[in-house]
Amino acid sequence: MNKLYIGNVSAEASEEDFETIFEQWKIPHSGPFLVKTGYAFVDCPDEKAAMKAIDVLSGKVELHGKLLEVEHSVPKRQRSCKLQIRNIPPHMQWEVLDGMLAQYGAVESCEQVNTDTETAVVNVRYAAKDQARLAMEKLNGSMMENYALKVSYIPDETAVQEGPSAGGRRGFNARGPPRSGSPGLGARPKVQSDIPLRLLVPTQFVGAIIGKEGATIRNITKQTHSKIDIHRKENAGAAEKPITIHSTPEGCSSACTTIMEIMQKEAVDTKFTEEIPLKILAHNNFVGRLIGKEGRNLKKIEQDTGCKITISPLQDLTLYNPERTITVKGSIEACARAEEEVMKKIRESYDSDMAAMNLQSNLIPGLNLNALGLFPGGGPGMGPSMSSVPPPGAHGGCPSFGCSPYGGEGPFWASMLSASSQPPAGHQESETVHLFIPALAVGAIIGKQGQHIKQLSHFAGASIKIAPAEGLDPKQRMVIIVGPPEAQFKAQCRLFGKLKEENFFGPKEEVKLEAHIKVPSFAAGRVIGKGGKTVNELQNLTCAEVVVPRDQTPDENDQVIVKISGHFFACQLAQRKIQEILAQVRRQQQPKPSSGAQTPIPRRK
């Protein structure tokens, strides 16, 4: 990959001109310049020299009045699936870059190239030629944070032997080696995704893990290239303490194995006879996908590793503790293998969610889901009602949603959420939403002996009931959800997620449901707007379908139905916006106090 193509060459250019330029910029070359009409070729001794020529000369150096264009020389038969993207903003986060690349196809690998430039360079391999070509067309010259991206093919040596590769679904498949937190130089080491490894260890072994004056933990950190936080000060007197490990997946696994070995040795030295299982903490959002339909994923991990794995029940979750405890029993070697498989599933779930967020981030403004514990991460906009001291038993290191074990900033899209739609602390008005689900999914939602719907209701803080089967559509059933806005968010999020987990929608199919909310008949016109302007703007903003059926007869409470259809985020945003309109109508309906009237002072009892 060290042969260069030099384009936009003047007809007056000679081999000596190129010799002078390369000598002036101290760029080595290993062969003569082959000068043709309008272009030239040259070989460089190594990739570093080739990259320097591209970075220093391309679009920056003139020869006889023409700006040279320098890139890798790639024979047509090797112009397949591999691209090089240069001039990436130095502080750009990997999640943003990943989301951008995933728009054009399935990315099989994305590896950073070490250069001496301020901006970053990555080599990307797509699953199919047409995907790479589309990415090249769309990204080359596009602006990102005032930097113009430069995209070119790089030789794909496998293209000749393999032929065209099969196209994959859009998104990310297996990735390249671990990369830094942002493509810029000097960035801190970072995991493949933003999910660290969280362990729960017996308090009595924390001292051995830290070691004398911190020597043991420093040694683990150095050997595994990890950042390890032991939350020993939280929950004084608790029997177990959380440990958070930030590293590559391999680094996390290595640190985990070392910690298990230290605990085992300490148990022998102190004559501790009880079994010491490995305990992994995972956000509840990912546990359903870890378990899999009918427990298949978990059973396979148990079979492959020889471990016994159990997961703490859903009812153990609280507003302050969104994590489930995954307990793994077996030998240290078996537990280490199980940890790798468990965390692989959790990271895949997180990456999948982040890819979806990238594509849907334009739908989020105004929604304050950040404070609700639906997703790992916390940050700006957390309401005062969510920031109280955790009750006994909450895992240290995660005292509230404003202090997340998954990183202080939370997912990239969390910072976009505004508190404008957040319900005020204190008393919140209850809302009623009718959500329509496939009739075949009713059993999964209710669960064995009604356990799942009870747990869901308890967790969300909402009343959740399945309406009797009736009406003209036998394929759908109505779920009646009653509760304040936070409870609505949680309950509906879990229902959407459950339908996906139970495969009522295909692997590539988005879960889209219809929700009905009732509004006062006199306010329906405000939702529609003059000439349908408001409802059209609402649909454009949220990407949900919003319909106020004409010629409705108001019910006994003088209310009419507004129908909302779409995926979870679209539905939530539409519901919030409609509730904002209704709140505005209610404020306008309130009688204004007369200027001479005095507010009566309540008499003390």
Side-chain angles (χ1 to χ4, degrees):
M1 203 170 77
N2 306 327
K3 188 179 183 71
L4 294 179
Y5 164 83
I6 307 173
N8 202 34
V9 174
S10 168
E12 303 169 27
S14 65
E15 187 176 337
E16 290 73 22
D17 290 330
F18 287 112
E19 291 277 3
T20 303
I21 290 173
F22 271 62
E23 186 177 340
Q24 178 187 345
W25 292 97
K26 296 182 173 57
I27 302 170
H29 58 94
S30 55
F33 290 87
L34 181 61
V35 182
K36 301 285 186 179
T37 305
Y39 61 93
F41 295 101
V42 68
D43 285 319
C44 290
D46 52 39
E47 186 180 353
K48 186 177 180 181
M51 284 302 306
K52 183 176 181 182
I54 293 170
D55 290 331
V56 170
L57 304 180
S58 188
K60 299 173 184 174
V61 174
E62 279 191 11
L63 180 60
H64 297 298
K66 284 190 158 189
L67 275 176
L68 298 177
E69 296 174 358
V70 185
E71 60 185 49
H72 294 288
S73 174
V74 185
K76 282 189 177 180
R77 66 180 182 278
Q78 290 187 7
R79 291 183 189 181
S80 181
C81 305
K82 293 183 75 172
L83 301 175
Q84 184 167 91
I85 304 176
R86 303 185 300 279
N87 209 36
I88 299 171
H91 304 298
M92 186 176 181
Q93 291 297 309
W94 281 112
E95 291 81 10
V96 178
L97 179 63
D98 286 352
M100 178 184 73
L101 297 176
Q103 294 178 54
Y104 308 109
V107 177
E108 292 188 339
S109 64
C110 182
E111 304 171 15
Q112 186 173 356
V113 179
N114 292 324
T115 67
D116 296 328
T117 59
E118 177 196 357
T119 55
V121 179
V122 294
N123 290 344
V124 179
R125 181 183 176 89
Y126 278 95
K129 280 184 180 181
D130 59 335
Q131 297 171 0
R133 184 170 61 251
L134 179 63
M136 173 113 170
E137 292 170 358
K138 296 292 186 182
L139 294 177
N140 192 32
S142 64
M143 298 298 294
M144 293 212 68
E145 300 178 20
N146 297 321
Y147 291 84
L149 299 181
K150 298 175 183 177
V151 186
S152 60
Y153 280 106
I154 53 177
D156 186 358
E157 295 80 4
T158 62
V160 179
Q161 296 93 4
E162 294 178 5
S165 58
R169 68 172 179 85
R170 297 193 172 206
F172 271 76
N173 294 332
R175 299 170 183 248
R179 306 167 294 178
S180 59
S182 66
L185 295 176
R188 63 180 176 85
K190 194 171 182 181
V191 293
Q192 178 175 314
S193 72
D194 280 341
I195 296 291
L197 172 61
R198 296 257 299 158
L199 304 178
L200 204 56
V201 303
T203 301
Q204 65 213 73
F205 297 130
V206 168
I209 295 168
I210 295 173
K212 190 175 181 181
E213 297 179 351
T216 304
I217 196 69
R218 278 199 302 273
N219 190 39
I220 300 172
T221 300
K222 186 177 179 181
Q223 288 182 351
T224 63
H225 305 288
S226 305
K227 179 180 181 294
I228 303 176
D229 296 318
I230 300 179
H231 309 282
R232 54 179 172 159
K233 293 183 180 179
E234 287 92 351
N235 294 347
E240 295 173 309
K241 300 287 185 183
I243 295 178
T244 305
I245 304 170
H246 298 268
S247 184
T248 63
E250 295 79 14
C252 287
S253 297
S254 178
C256 175
T257 302
T258 304
I259 288 170
M260 285 193 291
E261 290 170 348
I262 290 170
M263 289 195 295
Q264 193 66 49
K265 183 178 182 302
E266 181 69 8
V268 172
D269 292 345
T270 57
K271 296 182 172 57
F272 184 82
T273 55
E274 294 179 22
E275 184 180 9
I276 310 169
L278 171 64
K279 291 189 176 183
I280 301 171
L281 296 174
H283 195 281
N284 183 60
N285 252 29
F286 309 131
V287 171
R289 284 168 281 185
L290 168 65
I291 295 170
K293 189 173 183 181
E294 298 175 353
R296 289 173 191 164
N297 292 345
L298 211 57
K299 287 174 186 173
K300 188 176 188 306
I301 295 174
E302 287 182 322
Q303 291 167 0
D304 292 346
T305 63
C307 291
K308 174 65 178 173
I309 304 176
T310 55
I311 298 178
S312 61
L314 191 64
Q315 55 261 39
D316 286 358
L317 297 176
T318 69
L319 281 175
Y320 308 96
N321 172 27
E323 293 176 297
R324 306 271 290 273
T325 304
I326 303 163
T327 303
V328 185
K329 294 184 178 180
S331 66
I332 289 178
E333 294 77 14
C335 287
R337 291 198 304 274
E339 178 273 328
E340 290 176 6
E341 294 301 318
V342 166
M343 289 307 297
K344 180 182 175 184
K345 284 285 180 191
I346 289 171
R347 290 184 183 108
E348 285 174 357
S349 299
Y350 179 82
D351 288 341
S352 172
D353 288 354
M354 294 310 296
M357 294 305 102
N358 265 314
L359 297 176
Q360 298 167 2
S361 59
N362 62 315
L363 308 177
I364 304 300
L367 263 177
N368 190 24
L369 297 178
N370 195 28
L372 302 176
L374 296 177
F375 305 97
M382 186 185 71
S385 63
M386 304 293 287
S387 58
S388 54
V389 179
H395 296 312
C398 185
S400 73
F401 291 115
C403 179
S404 166
Y406 298 94
E409 296 178 357
F412 82 94
W413 53 268
S415 61
M416 300 173 62
L417 307 182
S418 120
S420 63
S421 293
Q422 184 180 351
H427 176 71
Q428 298 173 14
E429 281 196 30
S430 186
E431 300 172 0
T432 300
V433 176
H434 295 169
L435 192 67
F436 291 84
I437 64 171
L440 294 175
V442 169
I445 298 300
I446 294 174
K448 191 175 182 180
Q449 296 179 338
Q451 283 301 305
H452 182 265
I453 199 166
K454 287 177 186 174
Q455 291 168 352
L456 177 55
S457 180
H458 174 75
F459 175 79
S463 166
I464 305 172
K465 296 178 181 177
I466 309 287
E470 57 183 27
L472 300 175
D473 190 354
K475 295 181 179 179
Q476 287 194 319
R477 289 284 291 276
M478 184 169 70
V479 182
I480 304 169
I481 307 167
V482 181
E486 289 183 5
Q488 291 288 348
F489 284 136
K490 290 182 181 180
Q492 292 180 49
C493 179
R494 292 293 164 82
L495 288 168
F496 273 77
K498 185 68 172 175
L499 294 175
K500 185 70 172 179
E501 288 169 18
E502 297 290 343
N503 295 326
F504 287 104
F505 291 79
K508 297 182 182 179
E509 189 181 2
E510 203 166 25
V511 179
K512 291 185 178 181
L513 300 177
E514 182 174 311
H516 292 182
I517 60 175
K518 290 187 176 182
V519 304
S521 59
F522 63 81
R526 292 288 294 273
V527 176
I528 298 170
K530 189 174 182 180
K533 182 181 176 183
T534 304
V535 77
N536 287 335
E537 288 176 350
L538 196 59
Q539 292 184 122
N540 291 334
L541 171 69
T542 65
C543 290
E545 182 182 352
V546 181
V547 177
V548 184
R550 294 181 179 275
D551 305 322
Q552 286 190 74
T553 302
D555 63 12
E556 64 276 10
N557 296 317
D558 196 31
Q559 292 182 320
V560 294
I561 291 172
V562 177
K563 297 181 179 180
I564 304 166
S565 302
H567 58 70
F568 174 70
F569 293 102
C571 279
Q572 296 311 300
L573 186 50
Q575 288 177 40
R576 288 302 98 217
K577 290 299 178 185
I578 291 170
Q579 292 296 345
E580 283 181 9
I581 292 171
L582 297 180
Q584 190 178 20
V585 171
R586 283 193 291 269
R587 284 195 297 270
Q588 292 172 351
Q589 293 286 322
Q590 288 176 352
K592 294 180 181 178
S594 58
S595 55
Q598 290 185 344
T599 306
I601 301 171
R603 190 171 53 186
R604 290 190 180 184
K605 293 181 180 180

